[in-house]
Amino acid sequence: MTGAGKELKGMSTETFEDNEQNKPLFQDISADNESGITEIESLCVHCKENGVTRLLLTRIPFYKDVIISSFTCNHCGNSNSEIDAAGKVQEYGVNTTVAITTKQDLARQVVKTDTAGVRIPEIEFEIPPGTQKGMLTIVEGILERAAAGLGSDQPLRRINNPDIAEKIQATIDKLNEFKEGQSPFTLIIDDPSGNSFVQNFLAPSEDPAMTVQHYKRTLEQNKLLALVVSIVCSKRCRQCIKIKL
């Protein structure tokens, strides 16, 4: 009998069930929490066959509870993953600015929701809000994904718009340079929902390389988050605004 079996031996059924019921719904993120994964059969939008969606409810230290989901279809190979904050939109938006100066900084954990925008001011690079699904990654992963996205259409651009392709290639080269830790840069993640996060290596103390600012959302940002509904009046002047409470 294995060691695990020896530990369970002598434990009553009632005690085991109590332990299972007392387990927290969201557990700390770690390499050994695969037992918390829920699998659901779901339809593949590409081939219309059934695939598998895996859900993991977990807790990120010094952040909050999140839901990590991934879909895989064994029929056509389609796959994707995303992350959602397991909670409501926060009272304030959050703007996080991080100075990336070492290779260790590239390993900072990042939660970027689909409502968050990303900027690197040194190269005037921006990922607008709403253009990517939420993701759990690291700084290096954001750079790698951005470079890959820009590079996917480069062969066609070089034929149709060589001047634009050359400028985009310069941006790709800088992103790869940042990814390799060859040059320092500034990463800015602005999320009006308040649910994005960049790892603080010194938590719970302040990190001198990081600035986190909470702000009151604009009307347009509230509309983006569906917190404000425009009401068309009988005269169709669209000047009536009702805020959801």
Side-chain angles (χ1 to χ4, degrees), residues 177-190:
E177 182 180 309
F178 293 152
K179 183 171 69 75
E180 298 300 324
Q182 298 174 2
S183 300
F185 66 96
T186 306
L187 179 69
I188 302 173
I189 298 181
D190 189 284

Side-chain angles (χ1 to χ4, degrees), residues 134-188:
M135 67 177 81
L136 171 62
T137 184
I138 58 176
V139 173
E140 181 180 354
I142 289 179
L143 299 173
E144 184 174 10
R145 183 168 181 171
L150 289 175
S152 61
D153 293 328
Q154 277 294 81
L156 189 60
R157 286 196 197 99
R158 290 191 178 98
I159 297 172
N160 297 330
N161 298 286
D163 292 340
I164 294 177
E166 184 177 351
K167 293 178 181 179
I168 290 178
Q169 187 59 49
T171 299
I172 294 173
D173 291 342
K174 287 299 295 184
L175 289 170
N176 287 328
E177 182 180 309
F178 293 152
K179 183 171 69 75
E180 298 300 324
Q182 298 174 2
S183 300
F185 66 96
T186 306
L187 179 69
I188 302 173

Side-chain angles (χ1 to χ4, degrees), residues 92-107:
Y92 297 100
V94 62
N95 181 290
T96 304
T97 302
V98 190
I100 308 298
T101 58
T102 67
K103 287 192 174 182
Q104 183 184 15
D105 287 326
L106 293 170

Side-chain angles (χ1 to χ4, degrees), residues 229-233 237-242:
V229 178
S230 296
I231 300 178
V232 181
C233 68
C237 63
R238 297 187 63 86
Q239 294 179 353
C240 298
I241 300 284
K242 179 180 180 182

